Amino acid sequence: MIFRFLEPDCQCLSNNTTITNLDFLSIWVQVKNTELCLSELDRLKDEHSSLVLNEHFMILYIASKAFEALSALNIPDSGTQEGKEANAAFVKGVLNRLRLSGWKGDDGVIESNDHTMSFRILIDILSTIYAEFLQYVKRLFNPGPHPYDGPLLGYGDFLLPTLMDLKKLPYIGAKPVYLLIDDAGHFNLSQTMVLNSWVSSRTSSDVSIKVSTQYDYKTFRTGSGRRIDVPHDFSEIDISEIYTTSHGRYKKRLREIVRRRLQLLDIDVEPDDFFPPDLDQERQITAIAESYKERATSDQRDYKGIDDAKRYARPDFIKRLEGISKSGSTYSYAGFEQLTHISSGVIRIFLDAAAMMYSEATVAGLPQPISAIPAGIQDREIRKLSDKLAFWELEKESQDQSRFRLDPEDLRRLHNMIRVLGGVFHQILVSDKAERRVFSIAFSNDASRDVEKILRLGRDLGYFHVSSIGNKMGTGRTRLYVLTRQLAPHFRLDPTSFAGYLFVTNERMEEAMSNPNAVLRKAKENPDILLDTQQLALFEGED
């Protein structure tokens, strides 16, 4: 979504200007589920050949996508006499580089009336080279040697100068070019090493390469074996960490996105009103909060009352529901505020849930246009998604029969770990402890390779976010594993703020993975079952 917003058409709309006046030119290249994920390329056994041919393939794809995106833009100035001459010069420069790369095609007479025609000429030529390369790749299945005699495009001799020439076009103007590579974890190993070589070239003053990936980026080494590092070669930003630790920024952006989508449906309602909370529940929670404030006021400790109200009102309400009536499942997760927290800093999660809620409200026969999603529908749909993540997503992975399948035993141990953490966090929430809002763990001793392996798997599958905190000895920092808040409805947790974390031992986590039922039984009697000590540490600052 961030990359899409950086594209020229969005930037022109957002800034109410033309491409000439933009501060940068972005080219968005999506990797996931595209031609770049060509399994036949895995048959290239020679490492040098694999790097060269994969780079050629990547550049063909990236250049074609760049020209397609630019040809679709509305640029009226490209048809002026100055624009025509610039277009012709740009096309000529690209064709000269193609000839130097070994291309033997016939370009014919170049007539470029506007930018659309100019870029279409180049797209057609690259498409032909691309088709010929695919035919070569298919021949790799035949026995015997397979010499390649087609053109070979490189970053330094083709893609970089072509992108720099874009800045000479008068209707684009001299500005930095952002090459946005999306879902780079889907590159094969050779392609990843090629991309790292581009990053190591440090051309960011002219062409800035911005790469998005999950935790599945295959290597940080180039084709020559050199490792690219922070901050010498690139800067690294963990988007999930930014949104997890800065909830206000995320909520502000999400509210604006939802507001605009409602406007597209001609619904003139604020997001908080379109996703209302369970009003009766919120009144009861507010009453509990006020009682904390009143008690503190009588003791002349107003600051403590405000803090206690924030810490304990919602957990107390959930605890009451699970008391005599045993009705903890009746807690409602409705409301824009709670849904924002549950989305765990990922806008797509909120929007997917909102789409399901809107569909259910439509089926329920609410008057059109819908002005608010009933709290009951919100709660029901978000619970479905939470249960699906807790159960069926891991089940789906375990049934995978492809060669990329994950180890079923690792998936089972991950499921056990998540069950134990969610269950223990719930027991802490309904306890009388000083800090009850817990959703993360750190290790007081060294985690074993097996435990680290399962935690990494949980991170890769989206069940954990990894951050860091000061260790118990005060001599440095240690990893903090934060369970996704999407699981809050499944485990009956308070999603609105998780200010505490547990220092756990490796031995307890190994027991959790191998014998979760025993650990959960003990947790009902002793919520500190995973702790190294009886102390529950706090974050340095709360949301």
Side-chain angles (χ1 to χ4, degrees), residues 290-307:
E290 291 300 322
S291 67
Y292 274 109
K293 294 177 183 178
E294 290 173 4
R295 288 199 298 270
T297 300
S298 64
D299 295 335
Q300 297 183 341
R301 299 173 65 187
D302 290 352
Y303 67 92
K304 186 176 186 304
I306 295 174
D307 184 60

Side-chain angles (χ1 to χ4, degrees), residues 484-495:
T484 175
R485 304 185 193 199
Q486 290 179 261
L487 293 171
H490 178 76
F491 290 113
R492 305 194 306 279
L493 300 173
D494 173 10

